[in-house]
Amino acid sequence: MAAADSSSAALRRRDLCSRGIRLAGKMRSDVIDLLDTYVERQGLDASASVAVVEGVPVAAVERWDEQTGTQRLLENLAAYRAFRALLAQMLEEQREQLGEADAALGRALAAVLLQVSAFAYHLEELLRLESRGLPSEEGAGPPPPSHLGLFERKLWGLGVLRELAQWAVRSARDLRQLTKPSPGSSLAPSPAESP
Amino acid sequence: MWKNSSLRCLLALAILCLRSLIYSQEIGSLGHPQNLKCVTHNLRKMICTWDVSSKGRHGQTDFCYTTNDLPPPVCFKTKEKRVEIPVPESSSMVTITTNSISGTAFATKEFEIHKEDIWFVPLTPRILSLTPDFSTSTLNLKWSDNGSVFPYGLGAFWQIQILRKAAMEKVTQVTYYSKLTHEDIILSWNWTSDMPLECTSHYVKIRCYINVTQFVGPKDWSDWSPVEEVPGKDTEPNGSGVFPQDTVVAVGSDVTICCVHEEGQQIKRMTYGPEIYPMIHLSSRSSAIRVLNASASNTSGTNVVCILSGDEMDGTVLFVGYAPDIPQNLSCETSNFLNIKCTWKPGRPSGLYGKRRTKYSLFERISGRNVSCEVNEMNRERVCGFPVLADQKTYDFILGVSNPIGQTESSLVVDLTQRVHPKTPEKLTVSGNSSTSVRLHWFINGSFAEIRLLCQIEIRSGHSERKLHNISMPGGKFSTYTAQLNALRPYTKYHFRVRCSAADHFWRWSDWSMVEEHTTLEAPPTRGPDIWRERSPSGKSLKIFWKPLSLSEANGKIVSHEVSCYVLETPLEYKEVTEPSNSTEIKLGKNDCVISVVAKNHAGSSPPSRITSVELPSDNVKTDRAVAMGNGIYISWNSYPNMTCGYIVKWCHSSGSEPCSVDWQKFPSNTTDAVIKSALFRPGVRYNFSLYGCQSSGYQLLKNITGYMKELPPKRAPNFTVEETSSDSILVKWEDIPIEDCQGFLEGYRLSFAKGEKDALKPRLSESGNPELKVKNITDLTKKSLKILDLQGKTSYQLDLQAYTAGGLSPPNSLYVVTKEDSVGLIIAILIPVAVVVLLGVVASVFCYRKREWIKETFYPEIPNPENSKALQFQKNICEGNKTLKTLEMNPCTPNSVEVVETRSAAPKIEDTEMMSPAADTTVPEDGSDSETENHVVVSYCPPIIEEEISNPPTDEPVGSSQVVYIDIQSMYQPQIKPEEEPEIDLVTTAGYKPQMQLPISALKIESRSLAEEELDKTAGYRPQANTNTWNMDTPDSPGSVESNNENASFGSPCSINSRQFLLPPKDDEDSPKPSNIGWSFTHFFQNKPND
């Protein structure tokens, strides 16, 4: 009976991971499109380098292959919760600055925000499956960029979207890593793997 | 000691001398006060200053002055060379006495100061504050006018200078004017910089000039105030950024944007949108670009980016747009007396969105209420609501419009009762239990108690026009309104909808309500049906027909018809026929009765329709034709005075296999013609009409009429056959066309004929354009046959037969007939030529027989006479100068020696051995050794034995092949022919002959010949000219013509094996292609003659 439960949980986890990978792929594709739209509508140079933006979680990580599965999920969840708040802020910013003038950009932003929320929920499901308590969302919100000038806020938005695109890639790899069978712990890392 | 004392004395003396010198100099110098100058700052007191010529030390100065020349003078001591004394009204005497340090006066001078000499210079103004507004790049300057010290009403001019950058470059200088009010007033002045104040430091200083007209002395500007500074960001230790930050400017503005960076950084470039702009150096930490005539930016603004060293960047966003346009078509109305809705068109878009968008506010002047309007930027028409105020009918609206660039407004005064646009009526219901009236109810969401409403009801029914019914009614507060509609048709489905407006002051209709459907109740049919009756052929029963009532007459759904038969009000028979039947049959026997038909629906019965069954006898009933009208059938009849109750035209529709359905139409008695129309009429169909007259006693058949609605061409042509054919005539017969195929009244037949073979691809005769086409038109319809005459014998003819009506020609039926041969003509045609030939033959034979000696002498002498030889003449001509014929050239025209190459030749030598055989030149030996044969002079001869020659192998005896005897008959008999014509003649002459001795070569050439023939040739030693292969081979184009295509004219005539006589005379050469048997016969004839 316990074996059956374990097998069912493994199947469920595998299923969730597969769907998560698909979600991440779709999200990345949409974020890339959104980036194009954003750069064009905001009159920015697509090659503009943006410094590390305060409050935006960074996808790059050292010793990725040594992370445990739970650690991966927790980092992903924290990142997407942060992105959820950041994108909501971008959406609000866009409405404030452009009103109804650029509905297409607003719709695209809202669509990505929805995907980020869905992905965060998906990660929560995976963590629940591992019988892990979900971390609280306190402190997930980034500092408001109201002190910045409008140009800096445009660059800030660009930085958020670029980092989100990076995260979509990392999340897909993280989830793929989780689907691989590993000895011992169900979510233990495979040391040889690297993103 | 002495020395000391004397030195002391000398020193003391020197000191004394020096002191006395100094003193004497003080006393003795000019030392007088001079250059007294008096300046007033406030017109009441003046400051006088002077100079003292000596620079030596002096003590206090006694200064005395008299005011207005009135003694006593006012005196006081002063240590300075500056005193403040009152300004005299006209002049003042001033005495200045300079005292020594010890107090002794050593110089005194008097000055007279006139008022004209006094300068008026206002006090230096003091800047109270200089406040920058960085967001608007505006400097606010405040200073006091010091007006309290001046009389009221003086004009003051303030000169303000703006300086920029550390080098204090003058940016602008303006003069500000004010009036002094005898009070100290703080003046304020704003200046907007064309460059953001953050870009670099700005400085301000001020001075003034007071225009005191009553002051007679010279006046001057005050000194400049101390400079006040507004430091730029480039002076702050960590100050950086691109300025102005996120501002809005008008389209067409000139904008300066600067980039301030930290110490140690460098600006690589600055871009405005996608373009790089040249930079203006402001300071070591600040540079600027200047954008002239800025164009409208996109929705997210135009980015201005400053690229710094180290690929860092800073930037700002500039929004370039338009000031708001004046709102157009401002209009306000109410739909419910609760809210006023104002709409307008915004005009030119500002190009600014979001928080910088154009904002609208509606201000009502009478009530003083103001509402801000939330409008959709992307909507072309803007809407703003304002609440209806109690006890206020008139509203004076001002629509204020503003955006960061500017503002404007538009106003409108409205009487609200004249601007009512009710909301769409809702909840429309229709009720009623009548066949002609209904009640409508609807609700309008609004308070219209103060006005009357005009409501419009649209009535539509399936078969009638749209009708509008207007109703005026008092308005109510959120009320349901009711209206009654009468005069509707029974049993009719109606569609109703409603809209409303203000009745007294029409402004706008509301939208239409939803459509509501209602069907009125049924009513009894308004009239009885239109009826007709027909007796059965047996006469025992009567069939009664009726037409269905129209919708407007039926007033409901007809469920049945009651049919009764009365004789003197006594019912004989009664039948109720349910729908949809429209006829019934009753058995009457031989009796007659009055038939009554009543239509019934659910609401009741119609009035009865009556008709008598009596049919009056009629005799001599004619049948006429009707006229096709295209859309109907025109029939006419004579007036029958006896027909008192009109006429009935009855006809029958037949469609396919269904029984004929009776139809009829009634006409009043004064009518004598009618166009019968029916949707069932079809073109090309024959209809039979019966005209009945109506009398009180019954109906009488007056006339039968047939006709078409539209005549069409017959469907097909009549079938026809050929009954009889001779060498010059054809008899054709045809059949009638069935009535249904005629499609009209048949008017005749058209028979076309022309010569022609049967060919599936041939067009119709009428379309072929054949010039020999003949047409016969047969208008006598009783005629069923026709004989076509004057035809040619043994000739194929095509016959087309068509029938025609007024609608046109039918398609044709075609036949092909070959006329018989004319045998008599044929016999004559054969016999006459035969007879002529025989006759000519006989005449020629007789002639030749009688003149045989002469002919022989002339054409075939035993020994030819050279003088008569044309061949020799020909040679002579050649020798005389024709160089072109190389093969016949006998240079130098000396006779060649004769070489006998065949010793066994039995032929005797002849005189023409000089003649060089052309064949010797042209015949190519088989072994190719032509050197010998070319110079051979060959004796013409005909070898008697051929077989031996043939048996010799050609390789052993190549010359053997050249033993053929060729006689140039052509040159012999036609020497006059021009050389250039020869080849052509050669073609003709060579075509008729092949040398008999050339069998081996000929055998090679004639591949198709059989071995048996070859054997025969060998034995015969001759190939007859009749051999067509031989003829053909000698055509110039054939391979054999290579041999014969030279000047060898000796092919012109055959040579007999046994004689030297020519077989064909030269003049016949041209006819050589003729059948050779004839020539052969004649040759034989002449040859055999002596034997005869």
Side-chain angles (χ1 to χ4, degrees), chain A residues 57-67 71-72 75-76 163 166-167 170 174 194-195:
Chain A
V58 182
V61 64
E62 288 182 4
R63 296 179 181 278
W64 175 82
D65 52 347
E66 293 175 8
Q67 283 188 326
Q71 198 178 350
R72 290 177 199 280
E75 281 191 10
N76 270 272
E163 205 56 44
Q166 295 293 326
W167 264 105
R170 177 180 163 181
D174 280 333
S194 172

Side-chain angles (χ1 to χ4, degrees), chain B residues 23-240:
Chain B
Y23 182 73
S24 65
Q25 198 172 1
E26 282 181 358
I27 300 296
S29 69
L30 294 175
H32 292 289
Q34 55 188 356
N35 298 335
L36 179 68
K37 186 181 176 185
C38 294
V39 176
T40 179
H41 293 310
N42 53 16
L43 302 177
R44 285 184 286 111
K45 293 207 170 177
M46 60 184 182
I47 296 165
C48 294
T49 57
W50 64 92
D51 297 329
V52 177
S53 55
S54 165
K55 293 195 185 297
R57 294 180 64 193
H58 54 83
Q60 287 189 328
T61 302
D62 294 329
F63 190 94
C64 297
Y65 68 94
T66 58
T67 307
N68 301 328
D69 300 331
L70 294 173
V74 178
C75 293
F76 55 87
K77 289 182 184 293
T78 178
K79 289 183 178 178
E80 297 176 351
K81 287 177 280 189
R82 177 182 180 275
V83 294
E84 186 177 72
I85 58 174
V87 175
E89 288 184 5
S90 58
S91 64
S92 179
M93 288 302 294
V94 171
T95 306
I96 301 171
T97 304
T98 309
N99 297 315
S100 64
I101 295 170
S102 58
T104 312
F106 61 82
T108 300
K109 185 153 185 185
E110 278 194 354
F111 297 94
E112 186 176 6
I113 301 173
H114 296 282
K115 201 163 183 183
E116 293 82 20
D117 302 328
I118 302 168
W119 281 82
F120 174 62
V121 178
L123 276 177
T124 303
R126 191 168 60 88
I127 293 173
L128 295 178
S129 70
L130 177 64
T131 313
D133 182 358
F134 290 101
S135 63
T136 58
S137 301
T138 303
L139 289 175
N140 179 251
L141 180 71
K142 284 185 176 161
W143 71 97
S144 172
D145 68 351
N146 269 334
S148 59
V149 298
F150 295 108
Y152 181 87
L154 291 182
F157 296 89
W158 307 89
Q159 207 166 52
I160 306 164
Q161 221 171 58
I162 310 288
L163 310 163
R164 185 182 280 164
K165 296 165 51 172
M168 286 205 186
E169 292 170 5
K170 191 170 96 176
V171 177
T172 187
Q173 178 174 294
V174 292
T175 303
Y176 179 88
Y177 176 79
S178 72
K179 269 205 181 296
L180 302 181
T181 56
H182 198 54
E183 283 180 26
D184 287 345
I185 301 290
I186 294 173
L187 298 174
S188 175
W189 176 75
N190 287 332
W191 175 73
T192 302
S193 172
D194 61 345
M195 177 183 288
L197 299 176
E198 297 94 333
C199 293
T200 188
S201 297
H202 286 74
Y203 307 91
V204 180
K205 60 184 180 180
I206 187 170
R207 66 178 181 173
C208 76
Y209 176 91
I210 295 173
N211 188 19
V212 190
T213 50
Q214 62 272 33
F215 187 77
V216 293
K219 299 179 278 283
D220 200 359
W221 284 93
S222 74
D223 289 337
W224 285 105
S225 71
V227 168
E228 279 288 321
E229 180 188 2
V230 176
K233 283 277 180 189
D234 55 345
T235 61
E236 293 178 15
N238 295 318
S240 66

Side-chain angles (χ1 to χ4, degrees), chain A residues 41-43 96-97 150 154, chain B residues 246 300 303 355-356 376:
Chain A
R41 299 296 169 92
Q42 300 288 8
E96 183 192 348
Q97 295 296 335
L150 194 51
K154 286 183 176 183
Chain B
D246 310 336
S300 65
N303 298 332
K355 60 199 273 189
R356 285 162 289 274
N376 184 344

Side-chain angles (χ1 to χ4, degrees), chain A residues 3-54:
Chain A
D5 285 349
S6 170
S7 168
S8 166
L11 280 174
R12 170 91 176 126
R13 191 182 75 242
R14 186 177 294 270
D15 177 50
L16 280 173
C17 286
S18 303
R19 281 164 49 202
I21 290 165
R22 284 200 298 275
L23 274 176
K26 170 80 167 65
M27 185 161 58
R28 175 173 163 75
S29 164
D30 286 1
V31 173
I32 295 295
D33 290 346
L34 175 58
L35 261 171
D36 291 342
T37 310
Y38 186 83
V39 163
E40 183 211 331
R41 299 296 169 92
Q42 300 288 8
L44 295 172
D45 182 359
S47 62
S49 61
V50 181
V52 175
V53 185
E54 188 185 356

Side-chain angles (χ1 to χ4, degrees), chain A residues 40-45 47-49 94-102 148-155, chain B residues 245-246 273 298-305 311 313-317 319 353-356 375-378:
Chain A
E40 183 211 331
R41 299 296 169 92
Q42 300 288 8
L44 295 172
D45 182 359
S47 62
S49 61
Q94 194 262 346
R95 281 177 187 151
E96 183 192 348
Q97 295 296 335
L98 304 181
E100 293 120 3
D102 204 340
L148 299 175
L150 194 51
F151 182 72
E152 279 105 346
R153 273 184 274 179
K154 286 183 176 183
L155 287 181
Chain B
Q245 273 287 312
D246 310 336
N298 58 24
T299 52
S300 65
T302 306
N303 298 332
V304 186
V305 185
D311 274 346
M313 69 163 74
D314 208 344
T316 186
V317 182
F319 293 90
Y353 305 95
K355 60 199 273 189
R356 285 162 289 274
V375 296
N376 184 344
E377 295 164 37
M378 306 313 288

